Amino acid sequence: MKIYIGSDHAGFDAKEKLFAHLSKLKYDIEDVGDKVLDPNDDYPQFAYAATAKLLGDADPESKAILLCGSGQGMCIAANRVHGIRASLCWDEQSATETREDNDSNVLCLPARVLTQAELERVTEAWLKTPFSGAPRHARRIKEIEELYG
């Protein structure tokens, strides 16, 4: 499983620290930007870079993590891409539920809201939780693809 991670200026420091944390845990992680702190950058380009890499990855277990100030902008931008199920998560319960029920493939995090320790806990919960595969959840995901695909 590969993890693609991206952020704008508001999530830059948190992204750098989360990248280091996940690397220590032996995850295969690729930074899609921004590569330098640029107070004038915009989140849509990084959401697109991460989702494009994710959708181009042959491994269906690969994921993406996006950080911005509130997490909302990244989530909105990522969900514009067909095949992406991005979820804004603020605690371990929301992270676990979106993986179990929605088979979320993109985690969006609010860098200005959560501490670094909280970001790490939410991310680890999200990464470790498998999709339940329950028929009702699979049916709903299929319905989203049919309606919005």
Side-chain angles (χ1 to χ4, degrees), residues 124-148:
E124 287 182 43
W126 186 77
L127 288 170
K128 291 177 182 176
T129 303
F131 175 51
S132 71
R136 71 182 185 279
H137 297 309
R139 181 182 72 242
R140 292 168 186 157
I141 292 167
K142 182 180 178 195
E143 192 173 333
I144 289 169
E145 291 300 313
E146 290 171 352
L147 289 170
Y148 302 99

mmCIF file with all atom_site columns, all heavy atoms in Angstrom, residues 124-148:
data_model
loop_
_atom_site.group_PDB
_atom_site.id
_atom_site.type_symbol
_atom_site.label_atom_id
_atom_site.label_alt_id
_atom_site.label_comp_id
_atom_site.label_asym_id
_atom_site.label_entity_id
_atom_site.label_seq_id
_atom_site.pdbx_PDB_ins_code
_atom_site.Cartn_x
_atom_site.Cartn_y
_atom_site.Cartn_z
_atom_site.occupancy
_atom_site.B_iso_or_equiv
_atom_site.pdbx_formal_charge
_atom_site.auth_seq_id
_atom_site.auth_comp_id
_atom_site.auth_asym_id
_atom_site.auth_atom_id
_atom_site.pdbx_PDB_model_num
ATOM 1   N N   . GLU A 1 124 ? -3.566  6.969  12.053  1.00 0.00 ? 124 GLU A N   1
ATOM 2   C CA  . GLU A 1 124 ? -3.309  5.551  12.324  1.00 0.00 ? 124 GLU A CA  1
ATOM 3   C C   . GLU A 1 124 ? -4.608  4.757  12.412  1.00 0.00 ? 124 GLU A C   1
ATOM 4   O O   . GLU A 1 124 ? -4.686  3.638  11.884  1.00 0.00 ? 124 GLU A O   1
ATOM 5   C CB  . GLU A 1 124 ? -2.484  5.391  13.598  1.00 0.00 ? 124 GLU A CB  1
ATOM 6   C CG  . GLU A 1 124 ? -1.040  5.811  13.416  1.00 0.00 ? 124 GLU A CG  1
ATOM 7   C CD  . GLU A 1 124 ? -0.223  5.611  14.673  1.00 0.00 ? 124 GLU A CD  1
ATOM 8   O OE1 . GLU A 1 124 ? -0.368  4.552  15.336  1.00 0.00 ? 124 GLU A OE1 1
ATOM 9   O OE2 . GLU A 1 124 ? 0.568   6.513  14.996  1.00 0.00 ? 124 GLU A OE2 1
ATOM 10  N N   . ALA A 1 125 ? -5.622  5.311  13.044  1.00 0.00 ? 125 ALA A N   1
ATOM 11  C CA  . ALA A 1 125 ? -6.917  4.622  13.123  1.00 0.00 ? 125 ALA A CA  1
ATOM 12  C C   . ALA A 1 125 ? -7.478  4.419  11.721  1.00 0.00 ? 125 ALA A C   1
ATOM 13  O O   . ALA A 1 125 ? -7.986  3.336  11.397  1.00 0.00 ? 125 ALA A O   1
ATOM 14  C CB  . ALA A 1 125 ? -7.887  5.425  13.984  1.00 0.00 ? 125 ALA A CB  1
ATOM 15  N N   . TRP A 1 126 ? -7.395  5.446  10.891  1.00 0.00 ? 126 TRP A N   1
ATOM 16  C CA  . TRP A 1 126 ? -7.910  5.372  9.519   1.00 0.00 ? 126 TRP A CA  1
ATOM 17  C C   . TRP A 1 126 ? -7.154  4.323  8.704   1.00 0.00 ? 126 TRP A C   1
ATOM 18  O O   . TRP A 1 126 ? -7.760  3.513  8.011   1.00 0.00 ? 126 TRP A O   1
ATOM 19  C CB  . TRP A 1 126 ? -7.819  6.753  8.888   1.00 0.00 ? 126 TRP A CB  1
ATOM 20  C CG  . TRP A 1 126 ? -8.432  6.880  7.539   1.00 0.00 ? 126 TRP A CG  1
ATOM 21  C CD1 . TRP A 1 126 ? -9.758  6.971  7.234   1.00 0.00 ? 126 TRP A CD1 1
ATOM 22  C CD2 . TRP A 1 126 ? -7.735  6.959  6.294   1.00 0.00 ? 126 TRP A CD2 1
ATOM 23  N NE1 . TRP A 1 126 ? -9.929  7.102  5.872   1.00 0.00 ? 126 TRP A NE1 1
ATOM 24  C CE2 . TRP A 1 126 ? -8.701  7.106  5.280   1.00 0.00 ? 126 TRP A CE2 1
ATOM 25  C CE3 . TRP A 1 126 ? -6.386  6.937  5.948   1.00 0.00 ? 126 TRP A CE3 1
ATOM 26  C CZ2 . TRP A 1 126 ? -8.357  7.212  3.933   1.00 0.00 ? 126 TRP A CZ2 1
ATOM 27  C CZ3 . TRP A 1 126 ? -6.042  7.041  4.608   1.00 0.00 ? 126 TRP A CZ3 1
ATOM 28  C CH2 . TRP A 1 126 ? -7.023  7.177  3.617   1.00 0.00 ? 126 TRP A CH2 1
ATOM 29  N N   . LEU A 1 127 ? -5.838  4.331  8.814   1.00 0.00 ? 127 LEU A N   1
ATOM 30  C CA  . LEU A 1 127 ? -5.028  3.395  8.027   1.00 0.00 ? 127 LEU A CA  1
ATOM 31  C C   . LEU A 1 127 ? -5.202  1.946  8.465   1.00 0.00 ? 127 LEU A C   1
ATOM 32  O O   . LEU A 1 127 ? -5.119  1.035  7.638   1.00 0.00 ? 127 LEU A O   1
ATOM 33  C CB  . LEU A 1 127 ? -3.549  3.782  8.112   1.00 0.00 ? 127 LEU A CB  1
ATOM 34  C CG  . LEU A 1 127 ? -3.155  5.035  7.346   1.00 0.00 ? 127 LEU A CG  1
ATOM 35  C CD1 . LEU A 1 127 ? -1.731  5.452  7.702   1.00 0.00 ? 127 LEU A CD1 1
ATOM 36  C CD2 . LEU A 1 127 ? -3.299  4.822  5.841   1.00 0.00 ? 127 LEU A CD2 1
ATOM 37  N N   . LYS A 1 128 ? -5.459  1.724  9.729   1.00 0.00 ? 128 LYS A N   1
ATOM 38  C CA  . LYS A 1 128 ? -5.541  0.358  10.249  1.00 0.00 ? 128 LYS A CA  1
ATOM 39  C C   . LYS A 1 128 ? -6.939  -0.256 10.124  1.00 0.00 ? 128 LYS A C   1
ATOM 40  O O   . LYS A 1 128 ? -7.105  -1.452 10.335  1.00 0.00 ? 128 LYS A O   1
ATOM 41  C CB  . LYS A 1 128 ? -5.111  0.336  11.720  1.00 0.00 ? 128 LYS A CB  1
ATOM 42  C CG  . LYS A 1 128 ? -3.635  0.602  11.897  1.00 0.00 ? 128 LYS A CG  1
ATOM 43  C CD  . LYS A 1 128 ? -3.265  0.653  13.356  1.00 0.00 ? 128 LYS A CD  1
ATOM 44  C CE  . LYS A 1 128 ? -1.785  0.961  13.511  1.00 0.00 ? 128 LYS A CE  1
ATOM 45  N NZ  . LYS A 1 128 ? -1.394  1.112  14.910  1.00 0.00 ? 128 LYS A NZ  1
ATOM 46  N N   . THR A 1 129 ? -7.926  0.552  9.789   1.00 0.00 ? 129 THR A N   1
ATOM 47  C CA  . THR A 1 129 ? -9.299  0.056  9.752   1.00 0.00 ? 129 THR A CA  1
ATOM 48  C C   . THR A 1 129 ? -9.675  -0.395 8.342   1.00 0.00 ? 129 THR A C   1
ATOM 49  O O   . THR A 1 129 ? -9.624  0.387  7.398   1.00 0.00 ? 129 THR A O   1
ATOM 50  C CB  . THR A 1 129 ? -10.282 1.147  10.212  1.00 0.00 ? 129 THR A CB  1
ATOM 51  O OG1 . THR A 1 129 ? -9.913  1.581  11.519  1.00 0.00 ? 129 THR A OG1 1
ATOM 52  C CG2 . THR A 1 129 ? -11.707 0.622  10.232  1.00 0.00 ? 129 THR A CG2 1
ATOM 53  N N   . PRO A 1 130 ? -10.088 -1.644 8.179   1.00 0.00 ? 130 PRO A N   1
ATOM 54  C CA  . PRO A 1 130 ? -10.517 -2.118 6.863   1.00 0.00 ? 130 PRO A CA  1
ATOM 55  C C   . PRO A 1 130 ? -11.988 -1.776 6.599   1.00 0.00 ? 130 PRO A C   1
ATOM 56  O O   . PRO A 1 130 ? -12.759 -1.515 7.524   1.00 0.00 ? 130 PRO A O   1
ATOM 57  C CB  . PRO A 1 130 ? -10.339 -3.632 6.963   1.00 0.00 ? 130 PRO A CB  1
ATOM 58  C CG  . PRO A 1 130 ? -10.555 -3.927 8.415   1.00 0.00 ? 130 PRO A CG  1
ATOM 59  C CD  . PRO A 1 130 ? -10.035 -2.721 9.173   1.00 0.00 ? 130 PRO A CD  1
ATOM 60  N N   . PHE A 1 131 ? -12.342 -1.789 5.338   1.00 0.00 ? 131 PHE A N   1
ATOM 61  C CA  . PHE A 1 131 ? -13.743 -1.664 4.934   1.00 0.00 ? 131 PHE A CA  1
ATOM 62  C C   . PHE A 1 131 ? -14.470 -2.908 5.408   1.00 0.00 ? 131 PHE A C   1
ATOM 63  O O   . PHE A 1 131 ? -13.992 -4.030 5.254   1.00 0.00 ? 131 PHE A O   1
ATOM 64  C CB  . PHE A 1 131 ? -13.821 -1.527 3.414   1.00 0.00 ? 131 PHE A CB  1
ATOM 65  C CG  . PHE A 1 131 ? -15.217 -1.516 2.862   1.00 0.00 ? 131 PHE A CG  1
ATOM 66  C CD1 . PHE A 1 131 ? -16.184 -0.674 3.372   1.00 0.00 ? 131 PHE A CD1 1
ATOM 67  C CD2 . PHE A 1 131 ? -15.550 -2.341 1.807   1.00 0.00 ? 131 PHE A CD2 1
ATOM 68  C CE1 . PHE A 1 131 ? -17.470 -0.652 2.857   1.00 0.00 ? 131 PHE A CE1 1
ATOM 69  C CE2 . PHE A 1 131 ? -16.835 -2.320 1.270   1.00 0.00 ? 131 PHE A CE2 1
ATOM 70  C CZ  . PHE A 1 131 ? -17.793 -1.476 1.801   1.00 0.00 ? 131 PHE A CZ  1
ATOM 71  N N   . SER A 1 132 ? -15.640 -2.730 5.984   1.00 0.00 ? 132 SER A N   1
ATOM 72  C CA  . SER A 1 132 ? -16.390 -3.865 6.525   1.00 0.00 ? 132 SER A CA  1
ATOM 73  C C   . SER A 1 132 ? -16.884 -4.802 5.436   1.00 0.00 ? 132 SER A C   1
ATOM 74  O O   . SER A 1 132 ? -17.059 -5.994 5.684   1.00 0.00 ? 132 SER A O   1
ATOM 75  C CB  . SER A 1 132 ? -17.582 -3.372 7.348   1.00 0.00 ? 132 SER A CB  1
ATOM 76  O OG  . SER A 1 132 ? -18.573 -2.808 6.495   1.00 0.00 ? 132 SER A OG  1
ATOM 77  N N   . GLY A 1 133 ? -17.157 -4.255 4.257   1.00 0.00 ? 133 GLY A N   1
ATOM 78  C CA  . GLY A 1 133 ? -17.703 -5.082 3.185   1.00 0.00 ? 133 GLY A CA  1
ATOM 79  C C   . GLY A 1 133 ? -19.161 -5.444 3.380   1.00 0.00 ? 133 GLY A C   1
ATOM 80  O O   . GLY A 1 133 ? -19.717 -6.241 2.618   1.00 0.00 ? 133 GLY A O   1
ATOM 81  N N   . ALA A 1 134 ? -19.800 -4.875 4.388   1.00 0.00 ? 134 ALA A N   1
ATOM 82  C CA  . ALA A 1 134 ? -21.208 -5.176 4.641   1.00 0.00 ? 134 ALA A CA  1
ATOM 83  C C   . ALA A 1 134 ? -22.026 -4.838 3.397   1.00 0.00 ? 134 ALA A C   1
ATOM 84  O O   . ALA A 1 134 ? -21.794 -3.808 2.760   1.00 0.00 ? 134 ALA A O   1
ATOM 85  C CB  . ALA A 1 134 ? -21.714 -4.374 5.838   1.00 0.00 ? 134 ALA A CB  1
ATOM 86  N N   . PRO A 1 135 ? -22.967 -5.708 3.045   1.00 0.00 ? 135 PRO A N   1
ATOM 87  C CA  . PRO A 1 135 ? -23.743 -5.487 1.820   1.00 0.00 ? 135 PRO A CA  1
ATOM 88  C C   . PRO A 1 135 ? -24.389 -4.100 1.729   1.00 0.00 ? 135 PRO A C   1
ATOM 89  O O   . PRO A 1 135 ? -24.387 -3.494 0.658   1.00 0.00 ? 135 PRO A O   1
ATOM 90  C CB  . PRO A 1 135 ? -24.795 -6.595 1.857   1.00 0.00 ? 135 PRO A CB  1
ATOM 91  C CG  . PRO A 1 135 ? -24.149 -7.688 2.646   1.00 0.00 ? 135 PRO A CG  1
ATOM 92  C CD  . PRO A 1 135 ? -23.321 -6.983 3.684   1.00 0.00 ? 135 PRO A CD  1
ATOM 93  N N   . ARG A 1 136 ? -24.914 -3.587 2.827   1.00 0.00 ? 136 ARG A N   1
ATOM 94  C CA  . ARG A 1 136 ? -25.575 -2.281 2.761   1.00 0.00 ? 136 ARG A CA  1
ATOM 95  C C   . ARG A 1 136 ? -24.566 -1.168 2.449   1.00 0.00 ? 136 ARG A C   1
ATOM 96  O O   . ARG A 1 136 ? -24.880 -0.222 1.741   1.00 0.00 ? 136 ARG A O   1
ATOM 97  C CB  . ARG A 1 136 ? -26.352 -1.989 4.045   1.00 0.00 ? 136 ARG A CB  1
ATOM 98  C CG  . ARG A 1 136 ? -25.522 -1.701 5.260   1.00 0.00 ? 136 ARG A CG  1
ATOM 99  C CD  . ARG A 1 136 ? -26.412 -1.481 6.494   1.00 0.00 ? 136 ARG A CD  1
ATOM 100 N NE  . ARG A 1 136 ? -25.670 -1.083 7.647   1.00 0.00 ? 136 ARG A NE  1
ATOM 101 C CZ  . ARG A 1 136 ? -24.997 -1.888 8.452   1.00 0.00 ? 136 ARG A CZ  1
ATOM 102 N NH1 . ARG A 1 136 ? -24.983 -3.195 8.220   1.00 0.00 ? 136 ARG A NH1 1
ATOM 103 N NH2 . ARG A 1 136 ? -24.353 -1.417 9.497   1.00 0.00 ? 136 ARG A NH2 1
ATOM 104 N N   . HIS A 1 137 ? -23.357 -1.298 2.964   1.00 0.00 ? 137 HIS A N   1
ATOM 105 C CA  . HIS A 1 137 ? -22.342 -0.280 2.685   1.00 0.00 ? 137 HIS A CA  1
ATOM 106 C C   . HIS A 1 137 ? -21.835 -0.390 1.249   1.00 0.00 ? 137 HIS A C   1
ATOM 107 O O   . HIS A 1 137 ? -21.666 0.620  0.571   1.00 0.00 ? 137 HIS A O   1
ATOM 108 C CB  . HIS A 1 137 ? -21.194 -0.383 3.684   1.00 0.00 ? 137 HIS A CB  1
ATOM 109 C CG  . HIS A 1 137 ? -21.620 -0.132 5.097   1.00 0.00 ? 137 HIS A CG  1
ATOM 110 N ND1 . HIS A 1 137 ? -22.352 0.969  5.466   1.00 0.00 ? 137 HIS A ND1 1
ATOM 111 C CD2 . HIS A 1 137 ? -21.435 -0.859 6.224   1.00 0.00 ? 137 HIS A CD2 1
ATOM 112 C CE1 . HIS A 1 137 ? -22.594 0.922  6.766   1.00 0.00 ? 137 HIS A CE1 1
ATOM 113 N NE2 . HIS A 1 137 ? -22.055 -0.189 7.249   1.00 0.00 ? 137 HIS A NE2 1
ATOM 114 N N   . ALA A 1 138 ? -21.606 -1.605 0.788   1.00 0.00 ? 138 ALA A N   1
ATOM 115 C CA  . ALA A 1 138 ? -21.181 -1.812 -0.602  1.00 0.00 ? 138 ALA A CA  1
ATOM 116 C C   . ALA A 1 138 ? -22.254 -1.302 -1.567  1.00 0.00 ? 138 ALA A C   1
ATOM 117 O O   . ALA A 1 138 ? -21.936 -0.682 -2.591  1.00 0.00 ? 138 ALA A O   1
ATOM 118 C CB  . ALA A 1 138 ? -20.885 -3.291 -0.840  1.00 0.00 ? 138 ALA A CB  1
ATOM 119 N N   . ARG A 1 139 ? -23.518 -1.540 -1.237  1.00 0.00 ? 139 ARG A N   1
ATOM 120 C CA  . ARG A 1 139 ? -24.622 -1.071 -2.074  1.00 0.00 ? 139 ARG A CA  1
ATOM 121 C C   . ARG A 1 139 ? -24.626 0.463  -2.150  1.00 0.00 ? 139 ARG A C   1
ATOM 122 O O   . ARG A 1 139 ? -24.806 1.034  -3.228  1.00 0.00 ? 139 ARG A O   1
ATOM 123 C CB  . ARG A 1 139 ? -25.950 -1.580 -1.495  1.00 0.00 ? 139 ARG A CB  1
ATOM 124 C CG  . ARG A 1 139 ? -27.167 -1.179 -2.306  1.00 0.00 ? 139 ARG A CG  1
ATOM 125 C CD  . ARG A 1 139 ? -28.483 -1.656 -1.666  1.00 0.00 ? 139 ARG A CD  1
ATOM 126 N NE  . ARG A 1 139 ? -28.782 -0.872 -0.466  1.00 0.00 ? 139 ARG A NE  1
ATOM 127 C CZ  . ARG A 1 139 ? -28.867 -1.376 0.767   1.00 0.00 ? 139 ARG A CZ  1
ATOM 128 N NH1 . ARG A 1 139 ? -28.697 -2.658 0.990   1.00 0.00 ? 139 ARG A NH1 1
ATOM 129 N NH2 . ARG A 1 139 ? -29.145 -0.590 1.790   1.00 0.00 ? 139 ARG A NH2 1
ATOM 130 N N   . ARG A 1 140 ? -24.398 1.112  -1.047  1.00 0.00 ? 140 ARG A N   1
ATOM 131 C CA  . ARG A 1 140 ? -24.413 2.580  -1.018  1.00 0.00 ? 140 ARG A CA  1
ATOM 132 C C   . ARG A 1 140 ? -23.239 3.164  -1.804  1.00 0.00 ? 140 ARG A C   1
ATOM 133 O O   . ARG A 1 140 ? -23.399 4.176  -2.503  1.00 0.00 ? 140 ARG A O   1
ATOM 134 C CB  . ARG A 1 140 ? -24.403 3.070  0.433   1.00 0.00 ? 140 ARG A CB  1
ATOM 135 C CG  . ARG A 1 140 ? -25.702 2.740  1.134   1.00 0.00 ? 140 ARG A CG  1
ATOM 136 C CD  . ARG A 1 140 ? -25.625 2.942  2.619   1.00 0.00 ? 140 ARG A CD  1
ATOM 137 N NE  . ARG A 1 140 ? -26.852 2.474  3.256   1.00 0.00 ? 140 ARG A NE  1
ATOM 138 C CZ  . ARG A 1 140 ? -26.949 2.106  4.513   1.00 0.00 ? 140 ARG A CZ  1
ATOM 139 N NH1 . ARG A 1 140 ? -25.883 2.163  5.307   1.00 0.00 ? 140 ARG A NH1 1
ATOM 140 N NH2 . ARG A 1 140 ? -28.090 1.692  5.008   1.00 0.00 ? 140 ARG A NH2 1
ATOM 141 N N   . ILE A 1 141 ? -22.084 2.547  -1.697  1.00 0.00 ? 141 ILE A N   1
ATOM 142 C CA  . ILE A 1 141 ? -20.929 3.017  -2.471  1.00 0.00 ? 141 ILE A CA  1
ATOM 143 C C   . ILE A 1 141 ? -21.206 2.855  -3.968  1.00 0.00 ? 141 ILE A C   1
ATOM 144 O O   . ILE A 1 141 ? -20.936 3.751  -4.764  1.00 0.00 ? 141 ILE A O   1
ATOM 145 C CB  . ILE A 1 141 ? -19.653 2.268  -2.048  1.00 0.00 ? 141 ILE A CB  1
ATOM 146 C CG1 . ILE A 1 141 ? -19.275 2.683  -0.625  1.00 0.00 ? 141 ILE A CG1 1
ATOM 147 C CG2 . ILE A 1 141 ? -18.499 2.536  -3.016  1.00 0.00 ? 141 ILE A CG2 1
ATOM 148 C CD1 . ILE A 1 141 ? -18.221 1.801  0.016   1.00 0.00 ? 141 ILE A CD1 1
ATOM 149 N N   . LYS A 1 142 ? -21.791 1.728  -4.338  1.00 0.00 ? 142 LYS A N   1
ATOM 150 C CA  . LYS A 1 142 ? -22.145 1.496  -5.743  1.00 0.00 ? 142 LYS A CA  1
ATOM 151 C C   . LYS A 1 142 ? -23.167 2.526  -6.208  1.00 0.00 ? 142 LYS A C   1
ATOM 152 O O   . LYS A 1 142 ? -23.087 3.043  -7.328  1.00 0.00 ? 142 LYS A O   1
ATOM 153 C CB  . LYS A 1 142 ? -22.688 0.071  -5.917  1.00 0.00 ? 142 LYS A CB  1
ATOM 154 C CG  . LYS A 1 142 ? -23.038 -0.263 -7.349  1.00 0.00 ? 142 LYS A CG  1
ATOM 155 C CD  . LYS A 1 142 ? -23.569 -1.672 -7.477  1.00 0.00 ? 142 LYS A CD  1
ATOM 156 C CE  . LYS A 1 142 ? -23.945 -1.914 -8.915  1.00 0.00 ? 142 LYS A CE  1
ATOM 157 N NZ  . LYS A 1 142 ? -24.770 -3.079 -9.100  1.00 0.00 ? 142 LYS A NZ  1
ATOM 158 N N   . GLU A 1 143 ? -24.110 2.844  -5.370  1.00 0.00 ? 143 GLU A N   1
ATOM 159 C CA  . GLU A 1 143 ? -25.141 3.825  -5.690  1.00 0.00 ? 143 GLU A CA  1
ATOM 160 C C   . GLU A 1 143 ? -24.514 5.212  -5.930  1.00 0.00 ? 143 GLU A C   1
ATOM 161 O O   . GLU A 1 143 ? -24.885 5.923  -6.868  1.00 0.00 ? 143 GLU A O   1
ATOM 162 C CB  . GLU A 1 143 ? -26.148 3.893  -4.554  1.00 0.00 ? 143 GLU A CB  1
ATOM 163 C CG  . GLU A 1 143 ? -27.411 4.642  -4.874  1.00 0.00 ? 143 GLU A CG  1
ATOM 164 C CD  . GLU A 1 143 ? -28.437 4.511  -3.761  1.00 0.00 ? 143 GLU A CD  1
ATOM 165 O OE1 . GLU A 1 143 ? -28.442 3.504  -3.011  1.00 0.00 ? 143 GLU A OE1 1
ATOM 166 O OE2 . GLU A 1 143 ? -29.226 5.463  -3.610  1.00 0.00 ? 143 GLU A OE2 1
ATOM 167 N N   . ILE A 1 144 ? -23.549 5.572  -5.103  1.00 0.00 ? 144 ILE A N   1
ATOM 168 C CA  . ILE A 1 144 ? -22.845 6.856  -5.300  1.00 0.00 ? 144 ILE A CA  1
ATOM 169 C C   . ILE A 1 144 ? -22.159 6.854  -6.665  1.00 0.00 ? 144 ILE A C   1
ATOM 170 O O   . ILE A 1 144 ? -22.267 7.830  -7.423  1.00 0.00 ? 144 ILE A O   1
ATOM 171 C CB  . ILE A 1 144 ? -21.817 7.092  -4.176  1.00 0.00 ? 144 ILE A CB  1
ATOM 172 C CG1 . ILE A 1 144 ? -22.543 7.391  -2.863  1.00 0.00 ? 144 ILE A CG1 1
ATOM 173 C CG2 . ILE A 1 144 ? -20.858 8.226  -4.550  1.00 0.00 ? 144 ILE A CG2 1
ATOM 174 C CD1 . ILE A 1 144 ? -21.621 7.383  -1.648  1.00 0.00 ? 144 ILE A CD1 1
ATOM 175 N N   . GLU A 1 145 ? -21.480 5.774  -6.988  1.00 0.00 ? 145 GLU A N   1
ATOM 176 C CA  . GLU A 1 145 ? -20.783 5.683  -8.286  1.00 0.00 ? 145 GLU A CA  1
ATOM 177 C C   . GLU A 1 145 ? -21.771 5.778  -9.448  1.00 0.00 ? 145 GLU A C   1
ATOM 178 O O   . GLU A 1 145 ? -21.493 6.447  -10.446 1.00 0.00 ? 145 GLU A O   1
ATOM 179 C CB  . GLU A 1 145 ? -19.973 4.388  -8.368  1.00 0.00 ? 145 GLU A CB  1
ATOM 180 C CG  . GLU A 1 145 ? -18.781 4.357  -7.442  1.00 0.00 ? 145 GLU A CG  1
ATOM 181 C CD  . GLU A 1 145 ? -17.793 5.481  -7.712  1.00 0.00 ? 145 GLU A CD  1
ATOM 182 O OE1 . GLU A 1 145 ? -17.456 5.707  -8.886  1.00 0.00 ? 145 GLU A OE1 1
ATOM 183 O OE2 . GLU A 1 145 ? -17.351 6.124  -6.750  1.00 0.00 ? 145 GLU A OE2 1
ATOM 184 N N   . GLU A 1 146 ? -22.906 5.138  -9.327  1.00 0.00 ? 146 GLU A N   1
ATOM 185 C CA  . GLU A 1 146 ? -23.906 5.173  -10.392 1.00 0.00 ? 146 GLU A CA  1
ATOM 186 C C   . GLU A 1 146 ? -24.541 6.544  -10.540 1.00 0.00 ? 146 GLU A C   1
ATOM 187 O O   . GLU A 1 146 ? -24.777 7.018  -11.643 1.00 0.00 ? 146 GLU A O   1
ATOM 188 C CB  . GLU A 1 146 ? -24.979 4.115  -10.142 1.00 0.00 ? 146 GLU A CB  1
ATOM 189 C CG  . GLU A 1 146 ? -24.467 2.702  -10.332 1.00 0.00 ? 146 GLU A CG  1
ATOM 190 C CD  . GLU A 1 146 ? -25.463 1.639  -9.876  1.00 0.00 ? 146 GLU A CD  1
ATOM 191 O OE1 . GLU A 1 146 ? -26.507 1.977  -9.271  1.00 0.00 ? 146 GLU A OE1 1
ATOM 192 O OE2 . GLU A 1 146 ? -25.169 0.447  -10.102 1.00 0.00 ? 146 GLU A OE2 1
ATOM 193 N N   . LEU A 1 147 ? -24.837 7.199  -9.431  1.00 0.00 ? 147 LEU A N   1
ATOM 194 C CA  . LEU A 1 147 ? -25.489 8.505  -9.479  1.00 0.00 ? 147 LEU A CA  1
ATOM 195 C C   . LEU A 1 147 ? -24.548 9.632  -9.896  1.00 0.00 ? 147 LEU A C   1
ATOM 196 O O   . LEU A 1 147 ? -24.947 10.549 -10.610 1.00 0.00 ? 147 LEU A O   1
ATOM 197 C CB  . LEU A 1 147 ? -26.095 8.838  -8.119  1.00 0.00 ? 147 LEU A CB  1
ATOM 198 C CG  . LEU A 1 147 ? -27.317 8.039  -7.717  1.00 0.00 ? 147 LEU A CG  1
ATOM 199 C CD1 . LEU A 1 147 ? -27.660 8.292  -6.257  1.00 0.00 ? 147 LEU A CD1 1
ATOM 200 C CD2 . LEU A 1 147 ? -28.504 8.402  -8.615  1.00 0.00 ? 147 LEU A CD2 1
ATOM 201 N N   . TYR A 1 148 ? -23.313 9.554  -9.434  1.00 0.00 ? 148 TYR A N   1
ATOM 202 C CA  . TYR A 1 148 ? -22.384 10.677 -9.637  1.00 0.00 ? 148 TYR A CA  1
ATOM 203 C C   . TYR A 1 148 ? -21.217 10.336 -10.550 1.00 0.00 ? 148 TYR A C   1
ATOM 204 O O   . TYR A 1 148 ? -20.360 11.182 -10.773 1.00 0.00 ? 148 TYR A O   1
ATOM 205 C CB  . TYR A 1 148 ? -21.854 11.165 -8.287  1.00 0.00 ? 148 TYR A CB  1
ATOM 206 C CG  . TYR A 1 148 ? -22.953 11.601 -7.370  1.00 0.00 ? 148 TYR A CG  1
ATOM 207 C CD1 . TYR A 1 148 ? -23.437 10.761 -6.373  1.00 0.00 ? 148 TYR A CD1 1
ATOM 208 C CD2 . TYR A 1 148 ? -23.544 12.843 -7.526  1.00 0.00 ? 148 TYR A CD2 1
ATOM 209 C CE1 . TYR A 1 148 ? -24.458 11.168 -5.535  1.00 0.00 ? 148 TYR A CE1 1
ATOM 210 C CE2 . TYR A 1 148 ? -24.576 13.251 -6.688  1.00 0.00 ? 148 TYR A CE2 1
ATOM 211 C CZ  . TYR A 1 148 ? -25.014 12.406 -5.693  1.00 0.00 ? 148 TYR A CZ  1
ATOM 212 O OH  . TYR A 1 148 ? -26.033 12.803 -4.867  1.00 0.00 ? 148 TYR A OH  1
#
